[in-house]
């Protein structure tokens, strides 16, 4: 992977974080302010990304929408990883029969496409931001859990754990201070990848009307609203779509770069 791609991806992620944490620095306007007299304005000096059907500034909405995308991505990834740590640790440290049961369940869930599982979960919980976070988080947990289990099983007989046993560490301390931290280190790259994937899936759910509801400036919801006017105002879908792609690709590039560093250690 080229150095320029890594640098560009890092810049994109830093800009995304700035957009999410301090959107008013880049776009001081109100993302929900309507002005019907300026509806469907093409991109220009007055409106960098054009306006939508209600005259709302697309640039302002894309900037302010970064916060929703970041929050959903982080929350869903944290939920998925939290469940994975519990399930993976329990499976790795359980008797063989229980380990096999948990592993078979995880493999069955992992075989279901993540977006399909998220749709199934939302079918029971109903649409909304909260259900979208839960759906995306639960759909990613099986994959993470299998990796956590594998890492802990590899560490169970390590010299580090034998030394902790000799020093009289309790089982709880060995799990908390040695097994879980060392099992998670190689997975940090996957967390970066997971955030990018979570942003895509959350946007997909919003696009289908199952996530953030309009007129909130969430990228997937904006993309969905723009498809109705694609023949008239292509910019309504183009710019939020580019934002989703840029963040997802950049997170993937950084995640793979981090993964390569972990493997080389």
């Amino acid at each position: 992977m080229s150095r320029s791609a890594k640098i560009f991806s890092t810049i994109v992620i830093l800009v995304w974080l700035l957009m999410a944490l301090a959107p008013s620095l880049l776009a001081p306007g109100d993302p929900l302010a309507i002005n019907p007299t300026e509806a469907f304005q093409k991109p220009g000096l007055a409106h960098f990304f054009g306006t939508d059907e209600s005259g709302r500034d697309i640039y302002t909405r894309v900037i302010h929408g970064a916060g929703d995308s970041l929050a959903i991505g982080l929350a869903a990834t944290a939920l998925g990883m939290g469940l994975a740590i519990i399930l993976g640790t329990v499976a790795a440290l359980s008797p063989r029969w229980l380990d096999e049961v948990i592993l078979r369940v995880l493999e069955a869930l992992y075989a279901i496409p993540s977006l399909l599982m998220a749709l199934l979960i939302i079918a029971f919980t109903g649409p909304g931001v909260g259900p979208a976070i839960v759906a995306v988080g639960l759909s990613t947990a099986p994959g993470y859990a299998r990796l956590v289990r594998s890492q802990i099983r590899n560490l169970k007989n390590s010299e580090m754990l034998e030394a902790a046993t000799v020093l009289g560490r309790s089982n709880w301390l060995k799990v908390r201070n040695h097994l879980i931290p060392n099992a998670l280190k190689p997975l940090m790259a996957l967390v970066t990848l997971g955030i990018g994937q979570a942003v895509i899936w959350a946007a997909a759910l919003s696009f289908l009307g199952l996530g953030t509801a309009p007129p909130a400036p969430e990228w997937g919801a904006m993309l969905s609203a723009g498809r109705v006017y694609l023949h008239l105002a292509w910019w309504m879908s183009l710019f939020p779509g580019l934002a989703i792609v840029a963040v997802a690709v950049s997170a993937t590039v950084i995640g793979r770069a981090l993964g390569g560093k972990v493997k080389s250690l």
Side-chain angles (χ1 to χ4, degrees):
M1 192 176 299
S2 67
R3 179 180 175 84
S4 58
K6 296 176 185 177
I7 293 175
F8 179 77
S9 297
T10 302
I11 293 173
V12 169
I13 296 300
L14 291 176
V15 171
W16 180 42
L17 292 175
L18 177 61
M19 290 164 57
L21 299 176
S24 297
L25 290 179
L26 301 176
D30 183 358
L32 300 179
I34 63 173
N35 187 355
T37 60
E38 294 189 355
F40 299 122
Q41 292 289 315
K42 293 183 178 180
L45 294 178
H47 302 283
F48 298 144
F49 293 173
T51 62
D52 62 11
E53 75 280 8
S54 298
R56 293 181 293 241
D57 185 70
I58 300 295
Y59 169 78
T60 300
R61 289 174 61 76
V62 168
I63 297 297
H64 285 260
D68 290 338
S69 298
L70 177 63
I72 292 173
L74 289 177
T77 303
L79 175 61
M81 184 58 73
L83 289 173
I85 292 172
I86 296 172
L87 293 173
T89 303
V90 170
L93 300 179
S94 295
R96 184 174 180 82
W97 68 268
L98 183 55
D99 178 32
E100 288 294 329
V101 170
I102 296 175
L103 182 59
R104 295 290 87 79
V105 172
L106 290 175
E107 288 179 345
L109 294 175
Y110 186 70
I112 303 174
S114 298
L115 186 56
L116 176 59
M117 186 183 294
L119 291 173
L120 291 174
I121 294 171
I122 284 183
F124 290 98
T125 62
V129 178
I133 291 173
V134 172
V136 175
L138 292 179
S139 65
T140 58
Y144 290 141
R146 293 170 71 245
L147 293 171
V148 171
R149 171 189 173 274
S150 177
Q151 290 292 330
I152 290 182
R153 284 179 63 87
N154 291 335
L155 291 168
K156 281 172 62 176
N157 299 319
S158 65
E159 294 180 356
M160 170 193 64
L161 211 61
E162 291 179 1
T165 302
V166 170
L167 292 173
R169 299 285 192 269
S170 66
N171 290 334
W172 164 244
L173 287 177
K174 286 188 287 186
V175 170
R176 188 190 69 181
N177 297 339
H178 301 285
L179 283 179
I180 291 179
N182 285 281
L184 292 183
K185 284 180 182 178
L187 301 182
M188 288 301 101
L190 288 180
V191 171
T192 305
L193 291 170
I195 292 173
Q197 292 174 343
V199 168
I200 292 178
W201 292 332
L205 293 175
S206 295
F207 181 83
L208 296 173
L210 302 174
T212 305
E218 197 276 331
W219 293 342
M222 293 174 63
L223 198 61
S224 178
R227 64 177 175 170
V228 180
Y229 305 101
L230 200 57
H231 65 290
L232 179 65
W234 49 266
W235 53 88
M236 287 179 60
S237 294
L238 175 65
F239 294 108
L242 287 177
I244 295 170
V245 172
V247 168
V249 171
S250 297
T252 300
V253 171
I254 293 175
R256 290 187 174 182
L258 291 174
K261 289 183 179 180
V262 169
K263 291 178 181 179
S264 65
L265 293 177

